[in-house]
Structures are given as structure tokens and as C-alpha cells.
Amino acid sequence: MSKTLLPKMGAAALVAVLAAPLGAYAESNLATGNGALSANANVDFQITIPKFLSLRVGTVGATIDMVSFNVPAANVGNGTPVAGTGGNVGGGAVSAAVLGNSGNVSLQATTGGAISDGTDTIAWSQITTATSNPSLAAPVLANGASGIVTVNAVSGVVNQSATWTYSYTNSAVVPAGTYGGVNVNNGRVTYTASVP
Amino acid sequence: MKASSQTDSRILLGTIAVLLACASGAGAYTVNLTPKNPRTIYLQVGVGTFTGGNYQQGGSPATNPLVNLVSVTVPAAQVGNGTAQTMTTNSTASQSLYDSFAFCNLPNQLYVGGFYRSTNGSAGSATATLVANVPASLVSAGGRTIPFSQISWTSSGNGDAGGQPFPGGTFVAGGTQTIGTINRNEWAESCHTFSYSNAAVAPAGTYTGRVTYTLSAP
């Protein structure tokens, strides 16, 4: 509304204009007069996104996958890597995925110590992990806690997936036996994702 | 009349004169007004103020400075999963200030309405246009953004059927868009239910932004 129109208004209109000056922002507003009229009202919008982090290694849900290596007798300790079997992908491979929305994610793998058959042991360093996605590298397995792998966020969000494929290096002759198992003999690896 | 699909209770609230003045058709709530001085536009988004009763009772529109909030907190397990999240408002405006009819359902609906009244049947422009001036994004304290285009709305009103004077839509990020029009000597109102599309994983944070609605009659 133009001030030049004020002389054309009645007293009631003048009071209204004074109560709602041009350019005021409100949820209800009015304008009066014979010329161009304009009234504004604001609305504030708010979206709250909570912090979350999810990690998948293997089958979705509570299932814990098994990856096995069977070394042919003729190849024991000959340095030829042995591919695994099992895993949700098969061939000793598992699906891995990290999704988070609060910056870089730290990944760590933890074992209870060297994998054992009850008497003898094989170091976890003898089991390697290859990734299909360089942006989601797997922690290098160790007897105990591994080093930290950082998954970098893009604009605050991490959304990476990969296939992790395990191999046994078979670099040393070890005593015959079955090492590890279903949560026995240090046969389980626990992966942990964390954000600050 | 356009209010023909209103509930009986609302029709009973109206005066005979108003009923006769209403044009037939749509079913959304628009009501013809008797021309009188001064030529006036009134816009209400969320809560509003009338003094001396509602419009039918002879009340007068007034400025209400309270800006309402439309908000949503996305459940952590659903962030970015593509399931739209209905937003709610802190507005307390459930009743129309035209006739005090319980028009919008709280807390999901935001009242959007107003009138354009002229001194006679032909003075001034034929319509008043309601536009929304929309920022590009909602912004968090850390400077992260969510485009305003991720917010849409549906339009309805208790007792209404058919098209709304201010129909549903999606915000145009960083633009000015038309929300609807009000004919000369008409009251028009809708209730908007907003939703966040939740189509992408957004960084954690609280994102805010302000939309300015402007009703203008050249």
C-alpha cells in the first residue's frame, strides 16, 4: 500500500494502517486503501534430523555368517592363498555397508586373540580382506583390536557399500586341525562402527 | 454456493444472506462478501486476530505478530528412507475467523485464508493473489542444507469437497510461487498439511527456514 493513498482513507482505515505498518511480518495482517494492497504472513519451518549410524557385515539382520577355508593337504603352507567359502555373497565374501549422517565413521575389527584349534593357533594376520570399494576398506584383522579405518563423509553423510572377500594367506605350515568355529576358539570377528 | 458441501453445522452458522450470496460449485470454502468500506485485504497463515467477534459477527481483522512453526523430527530409523514425514504445527487456529467453524484439524493442519473486499462490486482488481516467497533451503547451525523443495502440502478443510482455493503443492526452492487467488469480495480458506519427503539422508541437525506469504491486490 502506498502512503500517498492515505488521504483517501477514512479514519478507521488509518487506524488499521498504523496498527499494521507496511512491511510488517505477521501471521495475520491486513491492508486497506484504494491503491495496490499487500499483506504478509510468515511461517517458520523446521526439520530435525537425528544422528544415526548403521553397519552391515554379511547377512541383514541377526544372522552371523561363517567364512571357512579348507587348505588342500598338498598345499599346506606353500604360500598360495586359499579362497574362502560361505559368507552371504558366497566364495568367502560378505556384503558390507556403512550409513551414517554425522561425519566420518571409524571402523574397527576385534577378535579374542589368535584363532585356535584348542592347542595351536594361527594369527589373524594370516586372513586378509579385499574390498570392492576403496571408499569402504576393511579393517586389517589382528589378534585383538585392529587398527582404525576411517570412512570419509561427503557433506556430512557416509553412505558406502562394498563386498569384502576374505583369503587365507597359507604362508606357514601349521599343525593339522580345525581352527576357530562358531564363536569358539577365537573364531569370531566383531566389527564396530563409531562416530564422535 | 461454493460452500454447498460444508457440513450442516457450518451452514447453520452462516446467515441466510451469506448463503444466498454464495455461488454454486466447487465445494471448497469460499464465501462471497458484501462490498463495503474500506477496501481491504486480510491474510492469515496460522493464527490470526479479529477483534469484536468473527467476520460474520461484525468483527474487524487485526495484525497478529505471532509466527507459527511447522516442524517434524524424523525418527532415526527412518532418516532418508523415502517415507514422507507428516509435519505438525504449533498453530492453535482450528476455527475459521469468518464464522468460528472448526475448519482445520490440529496439529497437522495450518490454516491459510483471508479475504479481499472492495468498496463495491467493481472497484480494484478482480482478484487478490497469494504467493509464497521461498528460500532455497532450510539451514542447520552447521551450515548444512535441505532444499525447500523437499516440503509439500495437501489442502483440505472440514466439510469441504472438491478443489481448494489454496490447493496442494510443493515449494519451489528459491522462488516465488502462486499459492492461490481470492476473488474480489470473497473470503477463501484452506487447511494445509505439510510433509517432508525424506528422500535423502541428511546430516544430523536442526534445519530451519522461513516462508513469507504475500496476499496482494494491484
Side-chain angles (χ1 to χ4, degrees), chain B residues 26-121:
Chain B
Y29 203 75
T30 54
V31 181
N32 291 343
L33 305 178
T34 301
K36 71 174 190 179
N37 285 315
R39 178 172 174 261
T40 303
I41 58 172
Y42 169 73
L43 172 63
Q44 178 184 340
V45 183
V47 296
T49 297
F50 258 62
T51 57
N54 63 38
Y55 189 93
Q56 279 197 331
Q57 294 166 334
S60 299
T63 296
N64 184 319
L66 179 63
V67 177
N68 282 129
L69 178 69
V70 175
S71 64
V72 66
T73 297
V74 180
Q78 297 186 46
V79 172
N81 72 353
T83 300
Q85 302 293 310
T86 300
M87 306 180 79
T88 59
T89 175
N90 64 356
S91 168
T92 56
S94 60
Q95 295 183 344
S96 168
L97 289 181
Y98 171 73
D99 58 1
S100 298
F101 179 76
F103 189 58
C104 297
N105 300 318
L106 302 176
N108 287 344
Q109 295 185 324
L110 184 74
Y111 180 92
V112 179
F115 70 83
Y116 170 35
R117 188 184 64 204
S118 186
T119 55
N120 58 54

Side-chain angles (χ1 to χ4, degrees), chain B residues 139-162:
Chain B
V139 182
S140 73
R144 305 291 187 188
T145 60
I146 294 176
F148 251 101
S149 56
Q150 301 299 304
I151 295 177
S152 301
W153 67 92
T154 59
S155 184
S156 62
N158 290 332
D160 279 359

